[in-house]
């Protein structure tokens, strides 16, 4: 019997309890062994939940119980999530997480501790919610050098941009609607300013290159300044404006950025709409593959958390392969000024806006354009 | 040093040699061990190929060499591919394959032999070419019950249907063009009559349900009777006609079929165009996820073959998890008459065609419709 502890009983935490319970028979038959949720750590009590009796308030109950071999951290935020994760790994427990903030900031250290202790630190749910992306990149694309990743990694902003394009809403109107529907938080900054997408971008960049860069160190532009006119003009030229997380290896350096981009209709990312995410991976042998699905949400994200738990249990007698990331040094990072692409240019003359698309140009050249707005073209 | 043998040096076989060679350093660093291609079995000689010196004509050279622990079968056709695969597995060698015909017909027996011998039989490349689909379904979706799969699984027919829709070509014109471009064979029957898609559909059905049904036993309809008018009328109503492989569990039984279907624009499969494949998986926790990419081609398919080789080498000291499929009995199969969906109906009056979409109805009800053509709606 494998004993699992859940840290956090919010949206993803309660979803994880549900997946582990609802599909228990099926998962146990696949694993050939039984499991139980032994503890759920939360500050609150949940007297009405069927899982209420498992709730504990003291992390040490979990840490000091040698029966608990797998811990799922779904608390969000850096602290105490990072501290609890580190303590669990050091105590020889494997940890899975949906917490992109912790992976993006502390992934190198946590993977190292896991390797030293012979346990696993896994984070399929940290990028793309329920979409299989981390494990496929590490296994199915293990025969490839990954050249480039472009992803729609944030459902909230994608909902807003889709609503602007398809329903003619302004940014503010679309954001308000997203908040009403529960897709955006009361303080939407982490989403609309690209912080969330930046965290996911650096995780994907690390899988591609082995180098994890701080999300604070990459170029980042959100969607707050996008005007409805721009979205509509882009559409008349055959482009959808999407918030894209981009990572590529360029001359041995990692180039990563988050920015609204004009995506041509011919690119499958242009049709990833609403709250869905899509991640397009370009690799040297397979060419381009895309992974699409629900990038957030209780059960989809929990599905990915439990996939990692299942993987850990299935391989419990196998020595883990170390992830082997290093923190990117300043010289590992390409200058974003080297980012070269065509530009979709919005100009205004006599109060009338129009748009055109340029040939490929560098950031420096783009800055010399006389324009109301300039969008990178994917 | 791991020794690998390749069976077949055609398109996928030569691609596999290329991937193993081109990305050797990278793959070996990921694996932490070295490998070599020791033999390539083919009837022909390849004096001008850099791999020419590895070519052997006698299968027994490979079978009887205890150094060879991994064999990649890329011969196509049932025989001798099946016989060689069986002999290798019985000799304790793991086998990977891109051969959907062998997996669809003999998968249960071959997986059983592999399990008995403690080796692996893997077939990521048999469905969706380079697209990660088999392993993600078995690992990333291991926390889910898979309810339903709809896939565009054949690049040739998808190219033809895209060309009809976007370029206004007739079936015959589009097929001729596909042949000229090398996307369709001189005898295109296996593609246009749905045989290839049926093989892939039953493999996906087996992953979802554990039951492998013979591709000859499922309902199968190709694209040869689709008229350009139908494609154009469907488009005016917001549908793309696509050849869909469908598998679902229905009341404990497996319902599988291959048929042209009218796919609404809102479904991401409607925009999987040209020779690309896309597989939409509906699972009970994650909801819908889609995998997209090159469904055929030398290097993409080889990328998947090598991913399986890498997986086998990485896990060479780990006891394999048996695949555990069984052959579907007649009573395991749902009657296709139970397939219920709306229909896109093409009618002709006074020499003028028009189209409308019905409510959901069964196959039996659909047969009573007075129409020039009736398409299942996805």
């Amino acid at each position: 019997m494998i004993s699992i502890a859940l840290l956090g009983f919010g949206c993803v935490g309660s979803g994880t309890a549900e997946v582990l319970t609802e599909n228990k028979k099926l998962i146990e038959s696949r694993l050939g062994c039984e499991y139980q949720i032994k503890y759920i750590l939360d500050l609150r009590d949940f007297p009405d939940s069927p899982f209420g009796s498992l709730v504990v308030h003291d992390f040490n109950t979990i840490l000091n119980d040698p029966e608990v071999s797998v811990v799922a951290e779904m608390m969000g935020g850096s602290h105490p999530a990072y501290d609890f994760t580190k303590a669990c790994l050091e105590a020889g427990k494997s940890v899975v997480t949906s917490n992109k903030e912790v992976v993006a900031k502390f992934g190198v250290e946590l993977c190292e501790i896991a390797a030293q202790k012979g346990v696993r630190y896994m984070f399929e749910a940290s990028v793309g919610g329920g979409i299989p992306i981390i494990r496929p990149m590490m296994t199915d694309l293990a025969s490839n050098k990954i050249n480039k990743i472009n992803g729609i990694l944030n459902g909230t902003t994608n909902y807003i941009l889709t609503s602007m394009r398809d329903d003619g809403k302004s940014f503010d109107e679309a954001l308000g609607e997203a908040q009403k529907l529960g897709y955006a938080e009361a303080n939407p900054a982490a989403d609309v300013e690209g912080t969330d997408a930046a965290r996911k971008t650096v995780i994907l960049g690390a899988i591609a290159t082995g180098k994890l860069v701080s999300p604070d160190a990459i170029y980042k532009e959100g969607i707050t300044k996008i005007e409805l006119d721009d979205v509509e003009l882009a559409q008349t030229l055959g482009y959808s404006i999407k918030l894209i997380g981009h990572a590529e290896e360029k001359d041995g350096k990692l180039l990563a950025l988050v920015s609204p981009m004009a995506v041509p209709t011919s690119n499958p990312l242009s049709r990833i709409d609403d709250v869905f995410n899509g991640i397009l991976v370009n690799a040297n042998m397979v060419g381009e593959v895309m992974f699409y699905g629900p990038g957030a949400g209780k059960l989809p994200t929990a599905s990915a958390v439990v996939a990692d738990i299942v993987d850990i249990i299935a391989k419990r007698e196998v020595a883990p392969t170390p992830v082997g990331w290093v923190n990117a040094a300043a010289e590992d990072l390409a200058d974003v000024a080297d980012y070269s692409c065509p530009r979709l240019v919005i100009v205004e003359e006599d109060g009338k806006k129009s748009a055109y698309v340029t040939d490929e140009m560098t950031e420096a050249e783009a800055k010399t354009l006389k324009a109301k707005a300039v969008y990178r073209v994917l």
Side-chain angles (χ1 to χ4, degrees), chain A residues 176-305:
Chain A
E177 193 184 68
Q179 286 170 319
K180 227 186 311 180
L181 290 165
Y183 296 154
E185 296 180 49
N187 177 355
D191 291 320
V192 298
E193 287 169 11
T195 313
D196 175 75
R199 289 172 183 148
K200 294 165 176 168
T201 300
V202 302
I203 296 171
L204 294 175
I207 294 172
T209 66
K211 285 170 187 155
L212 182 67
V213 51
S214 162
D216 301 329
I218 71 170
Y219 178 85
K220 200 181 67 184
E221 196 180 319
I223 66 163
T224 54
K225 289 181 202 147
I226 300 175
E227 297 192 5
L228 178 57
D229 290 348
D230 301 1
V231 172
E232 289 175 344
L233 281 166
Q235 203 186 3
T236 60
L237 294 179
Y239 295 84
S240 286
I241 296 187
K242 297 286 186 187
L243 184 67
I244 299 292
H246 172 90
E248 70 175 303
E249 199 170 310
K250 209 179 161 76
D251 307 326
K253 296 190 174 192
L254 173 61
L255 178 64
L257 65 116
V258 171
S259 159
M261 296 199 191
V263 183
T265 311
S266 57
N267 187 313
L269 287 177
S270 70
R271 295 305 309 177
I272 307 298
D273 292 336
D274 300 319
V275 291
F276 289 94
N277 285 14
I279 301 137
L280 193 62
V281 180
N282 180 300
N284 75 337
M285 292 297 158
V286 75
E288 288 204 325
V289 290
M290 189 178 75
F291 304 85
Y292 162 91
K298 177 177 166 168
L299 291 178
T301 309
S303 159
V305 169

Side-chain angles (χ1 to χ4, degrees), chain A residues 325-336:
Chain A
W325 289 353
V326 295
N327 283 311
E331 64 265 26
D332 292 327
L333 279 184
D335 191 334
V336 75

Side-chain angles (χ1 to χ4, degrees), chain A residues 112-154:
Chain A
E112 256 173 29
I113 298 172
Q116 283 162 14
K117 294 290 173 178
V119 295
R120 290 180 163 85
Y121 180 54
M122 301 185 79
F123 37 84
E124 177 64 68
S126 68
V127 181
I131 306 172
I133 176 67
I134 308 265
R135 192 175 295 100
M137 280 179 71
M138 287 181 161
T139 57
D140 289 276
L141 301 182
S143 50
N144 285 259
K145 181 179 174 309
I146 292 167
N147 298 319
K148 199 161 53 177
I149 299 158
N150 285 297
I152 294 173
L153 302 170
N154 180 274

Side-chain angles (χ1 to χ4, degrees), chain A residues 168-181:
Chain A
K169 297 218 156 84
S170 71
F171 171 79
D172 288 329
E173 286 170 337
L175 171 60
E177 193 184 68
Q179 286 170 319
K180 227 186 311 180
L181 290 165

Side-chain angles (χ1 to χ4, degrees), chain A residues 357-374:
Chain A
V357 175
T358 72
D359 286 339
E360 192 161 322
M361 59 172 66
T362 63
E363 294 290 309
E365 288 168 327
K367 282 202 181 111
T368 68
L369 291 165
K370 284 200 178 122
K372 192 125 192 347
V374 178

